[in-house]
């Protein structure tokens, strides 16, 4: 097996950026989900309630961040000042985040038609993945729950085959917003992997990923008037383990080291276990 795709999502719920190679650090792929929108009270905002975030591209650079909407609107954002801080909430985590200047927040509020603020993970921010699943001292950015999401080509193919049998069309891998895509002929083989080694870095598979309404949205426009994988996942990927309810696609992984991974790198299975329980399987 080998890596066929690497992507980061610098702005949580914004567009992904495909990369030929990526640096792995304890927080995942370098630059992944290091900023997000929050409401005036600091509550995080995603495509779930703001589908238009799919139209936003974030292009980090050393001096300035460029934010660009697909209608041509664009702005340059200076790095946040570390003393301009606010506690923000993402799921059950409260994080001290560096905040963008008021002028940036005003422009973003105009773009999206509601009051919003731009929050950044910086060196003073502290957030960790669940100790129950990831173990101790597992730092992360603004990803939903874990540092890295891994998916496989074989599982996407099996999902699309079921959709097509039911006249529901098909979807691309971008609907699932993975960080690492691995080619694998056997669908759902990842359910039984303990982890992978890629480029000398160990990635522990700690928890399957339950999926939500974001998989039903076009990842370029935010439209929900497109093929939806949810009915098919309900037929063939409904979790039978109450610890992780709902439909599943992909695995959350925790890096246990640092290094460089590249598209084309070999992906070696580190161990096997009993597969995750799926209803009807």
């Amino acid at each position: 097996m080998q890596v066929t795709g690497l992507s980061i999502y610098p702005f949580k719920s914004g567009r992904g950026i495909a990369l030929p190679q990526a640096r792995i650090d304890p927080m995942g792929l370098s630059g992944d989900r290091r900023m997000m929108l929050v409401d005036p009270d600091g509550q995080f905002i995603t495509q779930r309630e703001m589908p238009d975030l799919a139209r936003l591209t974030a292009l980090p650079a050393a001096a300035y961040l460029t934010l660009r909407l697909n209608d041509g609107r664009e702005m340059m954002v200076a790095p946040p000042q570390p003393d301009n801080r606010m506690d923000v909430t993402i799921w059950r985590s409260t994080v001290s985040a560096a905040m963008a200047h008021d002028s940036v927040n005003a422009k973003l509020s105009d773009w999206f038609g509601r009051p919003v603020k731009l929050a950044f993970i910086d060196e003073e921010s502290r957030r960790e993945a669940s100790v129950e699943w990831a173990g101790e001292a597992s730092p992360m950015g603004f990803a939903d729950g874990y540092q890295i999401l891994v998916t496989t080509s074989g599982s996407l193919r099996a999902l699309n085959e079921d959709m097509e049998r039911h006249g529901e069309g098909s979807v691309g891998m971008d609907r699932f917003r993975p960080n690492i895509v691995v080619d694998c002929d056997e669908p759902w083989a990842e359910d039984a992997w303990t982890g992978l080694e890629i480029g000398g870095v160990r990635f522990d598979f700690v928890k399957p990923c339950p999926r939500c309404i974001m998989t039903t949205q076009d990842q370029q426009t935010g439209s929900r008037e497109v093929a939806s994988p949810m009915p098919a996942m309900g037929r063939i990927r409904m979790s039978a383990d109450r610890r992780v309810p709902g439909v599943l696609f992909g695995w959350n992984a925790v890096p246990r080291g640092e290094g460089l991974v590249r598209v084309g790198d070999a992906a070696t299975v580190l161990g096997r276990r009993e597969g995750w329980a799926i209803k009807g399987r």
Side-chain angles (χ1 to χ4, degrees), residues 36 38 42-43 86-90 93-97 99 119 142:
M36 69 178 181
V38 299
Q43 183 69 29
M86 177 178 177
D87 282 349
V88 300
T89 301
I90 171 171
S93 301
T94 299
V95 183
S96 173
M99 305 303 294
F142 287 137

Side-chain angles (χ1 to χ4, degrees), residues 58-268:
L59 300 171
Y64 285 91
L65 163 72
T66 301
L67 297 179
R68 181 181 300 148
L69 282 180
N70 66 345
D71 62 5
R73 284 180 286 179
E74 181 176 298
M75 69 170 141
M76 307 293 283
V77 179
Q81 296 301 308
D83 57 350
N84 180 22
R85 310 194 69 77
M86 177 178 177
D87 282 349
V88 300
T89 301
I90 171 171
W91 300 113
R92 297 180 181 179
S93 301
T94 299
V95 183
S96 173
M99 305 303 294
H101 190 272
D102 287 347
S103 62
V104 172
N105 296 331
K107 196 164 187 177
L108 285 170
S109 298
D110 179 64
W111 281 8
F112 293 109
R114 58 178 284 190
V116 296
K117 296 182 178 183
L118 177 56
F120 294 82
I121 285 275
D122 67 3
E123 293 182 355
E124 297 183 32
S125 305
R126 297 289 181 271
R127 184 176 180 231
E128 293 191 352
S130 166
V131 172
E132 177 185 1
W133 295 93
E136 299 282 350
S138 188
M140 57 182 302
F142 287 137
D144 273 354
Y146 300 89
Q147 293 87 338
I148 292 171
L149 181 68
V150 182
T151 61
T152 71
S153 58
S155 295
L156 179 65
R157 183 170 56 252
L159 180 67
N160 278 328
E161 287 172 353
D162 184 88
M163 290 180 65
E164 289 165 359
R165 281 195 298 270
H166 289 83
E168 296 166 350
S170 61
V171 295
M173 191 66 87
D174 65 334
R175 291 291 189 90
F176 302 98
R177 300 175 64 84
N179 296 113
I180 300 175
V181 181
V182 176
D183 73 332
C184 176
D185 291 337
E186 181 185 351
W188 322 120
E190 61 271 26
D191 284 350
W193 298 344
T194 62
L196 294 173
E197 181 180 327
I198 304 170
V201 180
R202 174 180 139 205
F203 299 88
D204 284 348
F205 281 27
V206 298
K207 190 179 183 183
C209 185
R211 309 313 304 219
C212 69
I213 195 172
M214 280 181 61
T215 63
T216 72
Q217 296 169 189
D218 185 288
Q219 288 302 302
Q220 293 298 305
T221 67
S223 172
R224 292 176 183 166
E225 300 300 316
V226 290
S228 169
M230 291 296 279
M233 288 193 289
R235 290 188 292 267
I236 64 176
R237 290 296 294 171
M238 183 65 70
S239 175
D241 188 326
R242 66 181 62 185
R243 294 176 301 164
V244 186
V247 296
L248 309 176
F249 191 96
W251 271 79
N252 292 299
V254 176
R256 306 299 189 187
E258 300 186 39
L260 188 69
V261 298
R262 300 176 175 86
V263 172
D265 278 353
T268 303

